[in-house]
Amino acid sequence: MNRYSERLWVKPVIACLLSMAGVGLAHFADNISIDWKVPEIAQSSVIDLLKIIAASMLGIATFAVASMVSAYASTGQSATARAFPLIVADDVSQNALSVFVGAFIFAIIALSATTNDYFGKAGRFTLFVLTLLTLMIVILVFVRWVDSIARLGRLSAVIAKVEQATAQAMTRRKKQPFLGGLAASGPSCGLAFHSDDSNNSGNVGYLQRIDMSALQEIATNSKVRITLAVLPGAMIVPSRPLGYVLQDSIDSGPVEAALLSKAFIIGPVRRFDDDPRFGLVALSEIGCRALSPGINDPGTAIAVLGSVHRLFSNWVGPADPVELEYDRIEAPELSLDEMLEDVFPALARDGAGLIEVAMRVQRVLGELGRCGNSQLALAARRHAEQAMARSERALDFPADLELLRLRHEDYQAPPFRPAA
């Protein structure tokens, strides 16, 4: 269902159906004996209003599409192509386009019906009210959309959308660190199963989602236990096991590998929904592009580091306990060290020669090391040392290098005692 939010035609089609239903509602009013209760509306006044809507809405809808396409192109050029699905799924722009197209269809259908004397007194009054309501909605949506389109595609807006999508994915994973199942403990054992190799184009790609409910049903019916070997975002190839099946008792029945592989949705690209690391990769790409010599925008990289700081601070914060949903499935935990690897090495590499970026990298890693999580503290210390080593090779001004060393020592000076 989330993929439909990225299709530009879905909401306009819904708006067109509602428009046709509105015209049908006006005709339905003629079948109700309320003629004496409603005022008489001149047919010419309704026609004039509908002509205004029909003449203007198509042009506004075309302008809206052109503005959205321009914003999408700006996103790919100034930020990262990985953020494109988030910009396409912008609710304000899609709602505006849907209202404009729906209003145009409503005006065309209502105008054709009115000029052919399709409505009586009650129908004309109902259609007049619906026309005024349509005009009011169009004006409100247009004003809101103009304010939104001015920001759509801007770097600050793209960073905010990527951060929001990543925060939502991380929150879901934080509540269900093992995808609603049990924690995988020890080395994997059991019979390995792989992606279905009957379709060469569908078994190589990125794991977008795991249907845990389907796996739980299979495991319950066959009386087996399933251990996952991959998480959403992993690159899937036929030689890489998706998981392992272990018989639970002597009553355990056979499980078809093809049936198990159907629960793993594999696609050509990664998705933000169930893959928190993908959002971190997208943020890193935005920051690295900003630090390229052709753009040279360290402020954007600093803004990205601020987003990363907030995301990891929330990640290690307390979480509400969630009841176990899938007691026959074990899943590995998302690696905190790998999450840091998705962001900091690239930003530290490209920002090593810029003192303002290098200072912010040391501050963010230093603050994360003091957040009270021992695992994050150790990983942050290692990345801070690597970033410092990069800057020592890239900075050629002694005063800048001395300032950076003071910042590094302020956060990482021994003795180093990670919080329990």
Side-chain angles (χ1 to χ4, degrees), residues 19-178:
S19 301
M20 291 185 286
V23 177
L25 177 64
H27 179 65
F28 177 75
D30 286 328
N31 298 326
I32 305 176
S33 301
I34 57 172
D35 289 355
W36 60 276
K37 295 181 181 180
V38 298
E40 179 69 36
I41 302 296
Q43 182 170 305
S44 58
S45 63
V46 178
I47 292 176
D48 291 340
L49 286 175
L50 292 173
K51 285 182 178 179
I52 294 174
I53 296 177
S56 58
M57 283 302 100
L58 186 59
I60 295 178
T62 304
F63 171 71
V65 172
S67 301
M68 292 166 64
V69 171
S70 176
Y72 300 156
S74 175
T75 299
Q77 294 174 0
S78 62
T80 173
R82 258 57 62 190
F84 180 76
L86 299 178
I87 304 301
V88 172
D90 179 66
D91 289 335
V92 177
S93 298
Q94 286 198 7
N95 292 340
L97 179 62
S98 303
V99 168
F100 299 153
V101 174
F104 174 75
I105 298 298
F106 170 79
I108 293 298
I109 297 176
L111 189 61
S112 300
T114 305
T115 53
N116 287 280
D117 297 326
Y118 189 65
F119 302 108
K121 180 181 178 182
R124 285 195 302 272
F125 174 77
T126 304
L127 186 63
F128 180 74
V129 172
L130 291 175
T131 303
L132 294 179
L133 182 62
T134 300
L135 281 173
M136 182 179 66
I137 294 175
V138 166
I139 293 173
L140 293 176
V141 170
F142 181 78
V143 172
R144 184 173 178 232
W145 172 74
V146 169
D147 179 71
S148 174
I149 200 64
R151 298 176 175 83
L152 188 66
R154 302 279 184 177
L155 267 177
S156 57
V158 175
I159 294 174
K161 285 186 175 295
V162 175
E163 180 182 353
Q164 181 183 10
T166 307
Q168 292 174 352
M170 293 178 74
T171 299
R172 287 193 294 268
R173 183 62 62 85
K174 184 178 176 180
K175 292 180 178 179
Q176 295 183 328
F178 309 107

